[in-house]
Amino acid sequence: MNINILYGHPYAKSFNKAILEQVIAHLNVRGANVKVKDLIQMSFNPTVGLKDLEAKVTNVLPEEIVKEQEDLLWADALIIISPVWWGGFPAVIKGYIDRVFTTGLIRSSDGVYGLEGKRAYSIFTTGSSEDYIRISRQKDMLYAANDNLFGFAKFSDAEIKLLYSVPRVTSEERKAMLLDVNRFVDRIFDMRPGEGGSTRDSLSLQALEYDLASH
């Protein structure tokens, strides 16, 4: 199983970083081949520029975009690990999607869907309660964006795991969240239509050392 991880948090002691390290460790246990896209460390430019727009006509993509698309094509599944800021992705995640998920990759002029059949699993943290995320319609917006992108690209699976009130939960609750993340990731390997994933216990207690004030 080949898996890309798309990660977009700038703080090295965030709970997102703990999730990233947990997911990498768990994927290694499951025998996956993993590539991590830490967009901040990569200094990825999220801004769609003139070369990106010209590529729609010339079909000559910027070199860094070619590399990212090659890795998307290599992967069987994509895992996104990200905070929710103002109801959506951080700019660097949205910019990656804008630049890398090009029209030609999603659906060529010949009608070929380049990413068809791949799988997407997004893990989002929020600083707000589940009730607020629901009432404010942030949950609806996240699911709509997820369905719009991965549905149009004909991914076979596109699931979301939301972790709520992260800055205010206890260490024990964070341990439970990380175990829940393991179960969510297991769906990539274990899930068939109508079936759930199995429980794994490869919890890294080092994750609990991360700053409780940041998600």
Side-chain angles (χ1 to χ4, degrees):
M1 180 77 71
N2 297 332
I3 298 177
N4 269 348
I5 300 176
L6 185 60
Y7 176 73
H9 201 298
Y11 184 32
K13 288 187 176 293
S14 67
F15 191 56
N16 267 249
K17 187 61 178 294
I19 293 169
L20 173 65
E21 294 185 354
Q22 174 65 28
V23 167
I24 292 171
H26 195 62
L27 290 175
N28 287 335
V29 169
R30 296 302 309 254
N33 302 307
V34 181
K35 292 183 180 181
V36 178
K37 308 294 181 176
D38 185 335
L39 300 181
I40 305 301
Q41 292 299 316
M42 290 166 59
S43 298
F44 183 84
N45 178 7
T47 304
V48 174
L50 182 59
K51 289 185 177 179
D52 297 292
L53 296 178
E54 288 175 341
K56 292 187 177 182
V57 177
T58 65
N59 293 319
V60 179
L61 292 166
E63 184 176 343
E64 69 270 24
I65 302 305
V66 172
K67 174 62 169 62
E68 295 307 314
Q69 289 191 349
E70 287 174 348
D71 286 345
L72 275 178
L73 292 168
W74 166 84
D76 301 300
L78 173 67
I79 296 174
I80 299 176
I81 300 172
S82 168
V84 174
W85 289 341
W86 295 109
F89 306 120
V92 71
I93 296 283
K94 181 59 166 63
Y96 183 95
I97 292 168
D98 287 344
R99 295 192 65 204
V100 177
F101 283 71
T102 61
T103 303
L105 176 67
I106 300 283
R107 186 180 187 275
S108 73
S109 57
D110 298 325
V112 176
Y113 287 83
L115 303 177
E116 184 173 2
K118 296 184 182 297
R119 311 173 78 185
Y121 293 81
S122 299
I123 303 164
F124 296 128
T125 64
T126 78
S128 302
S129 69
E130 183 173 0
D131 284 343
Y132 179 80
I133 295 298
R134 177 179 52 81
I135 293 169
S136 65
R137 301 185 66 185
Q138 291 186 40
K139 188 171 185 178
D140 292 339
M141 289 186 287
L142 288 167
Y143 275 86
N146 188 72
D147 292 345
N148 182 61
L149 173 64
F150 298 118
F152 184 81
K154 291 189 179 295
F155 275 55
S156 63
D157 299 294
E159 297 194 51
I160 290 177
K161 168 63 67 177
L162 276 163
L163 305 175
Y164 301 99
S165 302
V166 170
R168 294 185 295 279
V169 299
T170 66
S171 294
E172 289 303 312
E173 287 172 312
R174 287 194 172 207
K175 282 195 287 186
M177 285 181 176
L178 290 174
L179 286 173
D180 204 20
V181 165
N182 282 354
R183 289 188 285 269
F184 183 64
V185 169
D186 278 329
R187 295 171 73 84
I188 301 172
F189 302 90
D190 302 337
M191 189 185 69
R192 295 179 180 178
E195 294 182 353
S198 60
T199 302
R200 304 291 169 183
D201 296 312
S202 57
L203 175 63
S204 171
L205 296 180
Q206 292 178 349
L208 303 179
E209 299 173 3
Y210 286 79
D211 189 342
L212 290 174
S214 177
H215 72 90

